[in-house]
Amino acid sequence: MLPAALSSLRLPVIASPMLIASYPELVLAQCKAGIVGSFPALNARPDTQLEAWIVAIEAELAAHRERHPDAIVGPYAVNHIGHPSNARLDHDLRICLDHKVPVFITSLRAPPREVVEEVHAYGGLILHDVTTVRHAQKALEAGVDGLILVAAGAGGYAGTLSPFAFVSEVRAFYNGFIALSGAIASGASIAAARALGADCVYVGTRFLASKEANVTQRYKEAIVDAHAADIVYTDAFSGVHANYLRQSIEAAGMDPRALVRQSGASIDFAVSPDGAGLKEWRDIWGAGQGVGAIDEVLDAAQIVSRLEREYRAAIAQL
Ligand SMILES: Cc1cc2nc3c(=O)[nH]c(=O)nc-3n(C[C@H](O)[C@H](O)[C@H](O)COP(=O)(O)O)c2cc1C
């Protein structure tokens, strides 16, 4: 079941928010390509930048719609990470509520009911991402409009559940909106997610290898070169289990097989996990197991066109 705001996308794809990588340039390219574009509020630094980003994104999307009245333009979403180390959470939620941001994506802790009600009061959508069935139930109790199921193999914070197990267990008690996430980097995977019972997919790593992603060329090339076997799942850097590229861990002088969880770890990339110069997400590169399906750096629009072609071909083939 698709909420109205997501029913007229070009492709059933939400581009996921990525620390460091998702800046307005990428978000705008995703929305203009007809899918949902998103960014984590934490990327706007200092926090006073968040309002400026939202105003600029709104203005550019409005101008684009005016220039191309027939184009499919996706809504944008802002991600809020509910973690004790995120001291900006209340500020960022307030700014997004005041600007009536069309889609909220909340991660880790379920959003407070007052926030859900305020988003609903102006007709916005609030989706929550979860890695377990228990968290899915808690998010639904909070009144969210849909669930993002982050299965095994996803880039960044990922779960350990197979997407087959996860979608079917959640579908047993929930017939609302589900976006499936985890290593989805081709159109065939989108078709597979739909066949499983998801309404939509949530794609991150594929967009790291886009021209607009705010990461270094070395990072983009490493994504193109990597395979699923290069992805390391660890809670060593932020205290929350996430997937990273082995090559970046080795380049930082660490042994990927001997990582130790840091005390006082933070989800915030500006805080160094070891108290020294190393910054998670900037130096230790997040990526999901879908890297093996990524063979070149493309414009975000080209990525969406390719996903669409592959998606239609996969359905036709079935
Ligand atoms: C580099 C990177 C940074 C991420 N940062 C965030 C973030 O700030 N907030 C969040 O909710 N998820 C974050 N994620 C997770 C994604 O939103 C999403 O769950 C994941 O990318 C989907 O799996 P895929 O990368 O295999 O497509 C990040 C993922 C990556 C790869």
Side-chain angles (χ1 to χ4, degrees):
M1 194 192 73
L2 284 175
L6 305 182
S7 62
S8 53
L9 298 176
R10 172 170 164 203
L11 203 58
V13 175
I14 298 173
S16 71
M18 295 185 287
L19 283 169
I20 305 220
S22 307
Y23 268 47
E25 190 187 354
L26 179 58
V27 178
L28 286 168
Q30 292 163 336
C31 296
K32 289 176 186 176
I35 63 169
V36 180
S38 74
F39 68 94
L42 283 173
N43 272 358
R45 284 173 189 262
D47 59 4
T48 47
Q49 271 296 104
L50 178 59
E51 188 160 27
W53 279 24
I54 291 171
V55 170
I57 288 171
E58 291 273 1
E60 178 54 30
L61 290 181
H64 183 78
R65 284 192 185 97
E66 204 155 296
R67 284 194 301 269
H68 306 279
D70 298 327
I72 298 175
V73 181
Y76 72 98
V78 182
N79 167 237
H80 301 274
I81 305 179
H83 186 274
S85 67
N86 183 4
R88 292 175 44 169
L89 185 60
D90 289 345
H91 164 272
D92 293 347
L93 286 168
R94 188 70 261 149
I95 294 285
C96 291
L97 289 166
D98 288 350
H99 283 270
K100 301 186 169 51
V101 163
V103 184
F104 279 53
I105 296 175
T106 50
S107 311
L108 299 180
R109 200 169 290 161
R113 211 162 234 295
E114 315 82 78
V115 171
V116 175
E117 280 165 10
E118 212 174 323
V119 173
H120 288 168
Y122 66 75
L125 269 188
I126 183 156
L127 309 175
H128 187 66
D129 83 26
V130 294
T131 53
T132 67
V133 173
R134 189 173 63 84
H135 286 109
Q137 280 157 338
K138 285 177 89 168
L140 293 176
E141 282 160 22
V144 300
D145 301 292
L147 298 172
I148 298 165
L149 305 185
V150 184
Y157 308 121
T160 53
L161 290 176
S162 148
F164 295 96
F166 205 1
V167 175
S168 60
E169 277 201 34
V170 173
R171 271 287 174 243
F173 60 85
Y174 177 59
N175 65 5
F177 177 79
I178 288 179
L180 179 62
S181 175
I184 295 173
S186 71
S189 301
I190 304 173
R194 297 294 308 277
L196 264 183
D199 299 285
C200 184
V201 298
Y202 192 65
V203 176
T205 299
R206 173 58 270 202
F207 287 101
L208 286 172
S210 69
K211 299 240 169 71
E212 296 88 348
N214 181 51
V215 299
T216 61
Q217 194 56 29
R218 275 195 318 123
Y219 190 168
K220 294 179 190 183
E221 283 162 14
I223 295 286
V224 169
D225 293 341
H227 300 281
D230 296 315
I231 302 302
V232 177
Y233 187 62
T234 178
D235 63 354
F237 302 109
S238 65
V240 179
H241 269 97
N243 277 318
Y244 305 91
L245 264 184
R246 176 180 55 77
Q247 291 84 339
S248 66
I249 299 172
E250 288 169 349
M254 289 177 276
D255 178 353
R257 285 154 307 173
L259 295 169
V260 181
R261 185 179 163 161
Q262 313 286 326
S263 61
S266 162
I267 46 101
D268 188 344
F269 63 79
V271 178
S272 159
D274 63 357
L278 194 66
K279 306 242 194 304
E280 188 204 359
W281 306 113
R282 193 201 64 192
D283 297 325
I284 305 295
W285 297 336
Q289 291 178 3
V291 283
I294 302 170
D295 52 13
E296 56 184 326
V297 177
L298 296 170
D299 293 338
Q302 293 173 314
I303 293 175
V304 175
S305 295
R306 181 163 158 177
L307 290 174
E308 186 179 29
R309 261 195 326 275
E310 292 169 349
Y311 176 58
R312 308 261 171 245
I315 290 172
Q317 196 188 339
L318 284 170

